[in-house]
Amino acid sequence: MKQISHDPRLVIVVIMVTVAMGALDAVSLTHLKVFTGYMTATVILIAVHLTSGESVAGPGVVAITAYLAGAALGGRLVRRSYSRRRTVADLLTGVGALVLVAALIWWQDAAWRYYATLVVLAIAMGLQTSATRHAQVTDLTLPAATMLLHGLMHDSRLAGGPAKGAWRRVAAILALFGGAVLGALVSSVSVPIAIGLVGLLIGTAGGLLYVGEHPLLERLETLGPL
């Protein structure tokens, strides 16, 4: 099988986004009680809570609906006639801005902040998934440990595979774990600050793709197949 070569800078950017997603998932689960980016888990939570009498069906349906809206918008935006880097950069900077808006909303001491934050974050995550899908980095179209762990072993020497991309998968797993720890710790002190950090990290990742030739980025361009 031919080994896929990925744009090194896109790989780094997607791993940065994976850190942010780990943090946001931790914040979402702890304080919103549903996931805003990992819809598989949200569907499962709705089902489990319905059977236990502690339904999160309302918030769950809201999150899924808003996520679908973000995905539809993201689908349109990635079909514009721009380069892959430019498209991913535009989407991620937009996502970063939306997440910062969500942080400001949560900062408000108002009854409506829960659902408003949930909707804005879910729309942003629909857009974010469109961006990472368009980046086309193997196993990282959605920051989820299952495919990363499976790919790590499926393509390993132990399984008779080429063991290509192992470092990328390990880095992504650690990024997801580290991000979740960070999100849990920071949100225990301040939820809006934790969400704001996620927005800044995603926005910074998008901004990295706008940068042209720069000595600090030259090494990324010569890393070879990732």
Side-chain angles (χ1 to χ4, degrees), residues 14-98:
V14 172
I15 289 176
M16 290 173 65
V17 171
T18 302
V19 175
M21 291 306 300
L24 187 59
D25 280 344
V27 175
S28 296
L29 180 60
T30 304
H31 300 279
L32 299 176
K33 306 306 178 184
V34 294
F35 290 95
T36 54
Y38 188 36
M39 290 297 108
T40 300
T42 295
V43 170
I44 293 171
L45 282 173
I46 293 172
V48 170
H49 284 209
L50 281 174
T51 60
S52 67
E54 299 177 3
S55 176
V56 292
V61 170
V62 169
I64 292 171
T65 301
Y67 182 89
L68 291 174
L73 177 59
R76 283 192 171 275
L77 293 175
V78 300
R79 290 176 173 86
R80 298 174 304 163
S81 299
Y82 291 112
S83 68
R84 190 181 308 281
R85 278 193 184 184
R86 169 64 187 277
T87 300
V88 175
D90 288 350
L91 263 67
L92 290 182
T93 51
V95 169
L98 281 175

Side-chain angles (χ1 to χ4, degrees), residues 36-37 66-72 74-75 95 121-131:
T36 54
Y67 182 89
L68 291 174
V95 169
L121 285 178
I123 290 173
M125 292 307 99
L127 285 166
Q128 178 270 320
T129 304
S130 290

Side-chain angles (χ1 to χ4, degrees), residues 16 47 58 61 65 94 115 122 130 140 148 150 156 158-159 162 185 196 206:
M16 290 173 65
V61 170
T65 301
Y115 278 103
S130 290
L140 285 175
L148 291 167
H150 181 273
S156 68
L158 182 64
L185 289 174

